[in-house]
């Protein structure tokens, strides 16, 4: 595969998620970091671009300059990652799609359902890829769980339990710290805090693995720290498209929980369980059988898990390598389009704008439900209701 040119917006020095993208995109040698507008502060962004080896003429002070500069080049970037704060995603992603660029946008894709519907439409019109970084779906054993469900090993899925609960915003004395306060400020974050930030990862993972989408939901939001307007803990029940029930718990005040993303899927023939903090093992229990540990890197894994697995069995593979699998999928699909061939079908399962839209609809429905005593609300985007 010929090397592809890659650009980043946001993800500047000291940012939380920028490094994981750079490790992920760089891992397999498919992408060269060719351009970037890395920082809200133009000078800092240009200096950081130089540090990363981006040439001076492609180290941009802001994303509009990058759009203009790259649009005029024969060797324009093949993929742009948008890793800026949430409220900027819509405007930047839309502008790049309209100018013919493939985009990988951080989650949440937009701030509203209407914006998300617009991004899906814009991507369709442009013919460009619009992926959304539900990067945890790149873990090999998550892909193996999905293959187990799709291959019928669990039979009909009855129940799903998903959690994304950490304890890092639990200190009431720290709640007014500006680094934390904005995360619970509706002016800056929209109508949901913890569910929109972490809950949607768990929801995406449940849908991705079970092959079912959210149809109805009932939500209970609480602010355990009284000064917060928005929720720091949520329990949401879902009815899924093929009959499964999903129970989802997300929290930022669960002291002692670390990253806290877990998934359990219970079917008529057995149950499977995975924890992101121990991502290389899957626990599988057939009905009336013994619990077995399935290891990443074992020889009889699904092709999807083999493809996503890089280092030998027994060595840890973690989050930036899961992101690398999203980048590897995108590289294959972009290269195939450039070479006029069909992509490897195993590379086509990356999360898309449609997943971003479904999340935005779920956030909106959960906010409505939580403010209406947990009433059951249609969780589907308006354009996907039939
Ligand atoms: P951060 O605040 O640590 O970093 C944001 C970076 O974007 C900074 O370098 C800042 O200077 C830059 N920036 C801000 N506005 C910009 C603009 N207009 N143009 C160019 N650069 C700009 O934020 P963090 O935590 O890295 O989050 C960024 C995004 O990534 C958020 O949307 C967040 O939800 C998402 N995220 C996703 C995760 C995942 O697992 N997929 C995990 C953590 C964050």
């Amino acid at each position: 595969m010929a090397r592809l040119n890659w650009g980043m917006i946001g993800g500047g020095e000291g940012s939380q998620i920028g490094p994981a993208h750079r490790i992920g995109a760089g891992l397999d040698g498919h992408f060269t970091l060719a351009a970037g507008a890395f920082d809200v502060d133009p000078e800092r962004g240009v200096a950081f671009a130089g540090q990363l080896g981006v040439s001076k003429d492609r180290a941009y002070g802001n994303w509009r300059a990058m759009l203009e500069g790259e649009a005029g080049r024969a060797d324009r970037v093949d993929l742009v990652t948008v890793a800026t704060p949430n409220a900027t995603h819509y405007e930047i992603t839309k502008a790049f799609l309209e100018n013919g660029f493939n985009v990988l946008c951080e989650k949440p894709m937009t701030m509203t359902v209407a914006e998300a519907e617009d991004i899906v439409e814009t991507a369709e019109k442009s013919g460009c890829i619009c992926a959304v970084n539900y990067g945890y779906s790149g873990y090999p054993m998550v892909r193996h769980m999905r293959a187990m469900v799709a291959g019928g090993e669990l039979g009909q899925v009855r129940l799903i339990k998903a959690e994304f609960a950490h304890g890092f915003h639990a200190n009431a004395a720290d709640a007014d710290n500006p680094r934390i306060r904005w995360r619970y400020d509706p002016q800056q974050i929209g109508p949901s805090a913890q569910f929109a930030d972490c809950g949607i990862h768990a929801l995406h993972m449940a849908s991705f693995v079970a092959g079912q989408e959210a149809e109805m939901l009932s939500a209970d939001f609480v602010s355990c720290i009284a000064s917060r307007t928005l929720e720091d803990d949520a329990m949401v029940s879902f009815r899924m498209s093929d009959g499964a029930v999903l129970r989802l718990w997300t929290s930022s005040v669960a002291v002692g929980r670390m990253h806290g993303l877990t998934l359990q899927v219970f079917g008529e023939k057995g149950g499977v369980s995975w924890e992101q903090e121990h991502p290389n093992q899957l626990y599988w229990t057939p009905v009336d059988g013994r619990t077995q540990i399935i290891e990443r890197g074992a020889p009889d894994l699904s092709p999807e898990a083999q493809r996503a697995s890089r280092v030998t069995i027994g060595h840890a593979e973690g989050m930036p390598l899961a992101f690398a699998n999203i980048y590897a999928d995108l590289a294959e699909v972009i290269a195939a389009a450039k070479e006029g061939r069909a992509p490897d079908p195993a590379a086509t399962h990356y999360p898309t704008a449609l997943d971003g839209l479904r999340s935005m609809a779920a956030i909106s429905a959960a906010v409505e439900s939580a403010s209406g005593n947990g009433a059951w609300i249609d969780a589907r985007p308006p354009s996907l209701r039939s």
Side-chain angles (χ1 to χ4, degrees):
M1 189 191 293
R3 271 182 91 93
L4 300 168
N5 284 326
W6 175 55
M8 265 197 105
I9 302 169
E13 191 166 24
S15 67
Q16 191 188 164
I17 207 63
H21 279 280
R22 285 187 285 277
I23 296 169
L27 192 76
D28 295 307
H30 299 317
F31 289 104
T32 300
L33 179 56
F38 293 93
D39 206 289
V40 68
D41 178 304
E43 272 177 34
R44 239 176 18 210
V46 168
F48 188 54
Q51 235 172 281
L52 295 171
V54 173
S55 65
K56 275 198 173 138
D57 59 329
R58 299 177 89 173
Y60 299 99
N62 62 64
W63 68 265
R64 290 179 201 281
M66 177 166 158
L67 179 61
E68 203 184 314
E70 291 299 306
R73 297 184 71 107
D75 62 348
R76 56 166 29 199
V77 285
D78 297 290
L79 174 71
V80 179
T81 293
V82 178
T84 51
N86 305 359
T88 60
H89 293 174
Y90 170 64
E91 190 183 23
I92 301 174
T93 298
K94 185 172 163 77
F96 275 84
L97 287 171
E98 282 176 337
N99 283 276
F101 291 89
N102 299 307
V103 176
L104 170 61
C105 180
E106 261 305 345
K107 48 54 62 177
M109 183 171 79
T110 58
M111 296 291 279
T112 67
V113 180
E115 288 172 354
E117 297 271 18
D118 189 31
I119 291 290
V120 169
E121 213 180 296
T122 307
E124 270 167 17
K125 266 194 214 145
S126 73
C128 296
I129 292 171
C130 182
V132 176
N133 191 38
Y134 290 110
Y136 308 122
S137 64
Y139 277 101
M141 299 317 280
V142 171
R143 293 186 169 192
H144 189 69
M145 273 194 288
R146 174 185 163 98
M148 287 176 76
V149 172
E153 285 184 59
L154 278 76
Q156 184 69 30
V157 173
R158 294 167 171 158
L159 295 171
I160 309 166
K161 172 90 185 304
E163 296 180 354
F164 195 157
H166 67 81
F168 292 103
H169 301 157
N171 187 350
D174 203 30
D176 264 345
N177 174 337
R179 263 189 326 101
I180 301 210
R181 196 179 49 217
W182 72 270
R183 294 174 175 277
Y184 299 90
D185 175 0
Q187 300 304 322
Q188 297 188 60
I189 205 82
S192 161
Q194 181 60 18
F195 182 69
D197 189 32
C198 294
I200 58 170
H201 274 299
L203 173 58
H204 176 264
M205 183 167 285
S207 300
F208 178 79
V209 168
Q212 300 190 30
E213 303 299 340
E215 291 208 328
M216 301 290 291
L217 66 73
S218 161
D220 182 17
F221 282 10
V222 287
S223 308
C224 292
I225 293 187
S227 61
R228 287 180 181 151
T229 321
L230 299 179
E231 87 287 357
D232 51 23
D233 184 283
M235 184 68 90
V236 190
S237 286
F238 295 85
R239 296 293 182 265
M240 305 297 280
S241 50
D242 198 23
V245 170
L246 162 64
R247 314 278 189 205
L248 189 155
W249 174 46
T250 187
S251 187
S252 66
V253 292
V255 183
R257 294 281 299 238
M258 297 297 145
H259 195 250
L261 177 62
T262 67
L263 185 73
Q264 291 175 284
V265 184
F266 307 103
E268 58 187 355
K269 296 190 199 167
V272 68
S273 171
W274 179 83
E275 294 179 15
Q276 198 223 350
E277 288 166 35
H278 306 281
N280 297 304
Q281 288 82 30
L282 209 59
Y283 291 83
W284 160 240
T285 314
V287 167
D288 297 331
R290 288 187 180 153
T291 298
Q292 301 158 26
I293 300 174
I294 307 175
E295 284 279 341
R296 184 201 59 73
D300 59 346
L301 293 187
S302 58
E304 292 88 335
Q306 297 288 13
R307 182 175 180 277
S309 196
R310 292 183 176 75
V311 295
T312 341
I313 189 165
H315 296 289
E317 268 187 28
M319 181 262 227
L321 274 70
F323 280 24
N325 288 327
I326 306 290
Y327 278 99
D329 289 349
L330 293 173
E332 165 60 13
V333 174
I334 293 168
K338 287 180 93 166
E339 292 160 15
R341 62 175 171 84
D344 176 352
T348 58
H349 303 296
Y350 56 84
T352 65
L354 213 50
D355 296 299
L357 167 61
R358 286 195 173 102
S359 303
M360 294 314 301
I363 294 167
S364 165
V367 169
E368 188 182 340
S369 170
S371 64
N373 280 329
W376 284 90
I377 305 284
D378 196 328
R380 297 168 300 174
S383 61
L384 298 179
R385 291 178 192 170
S386 49

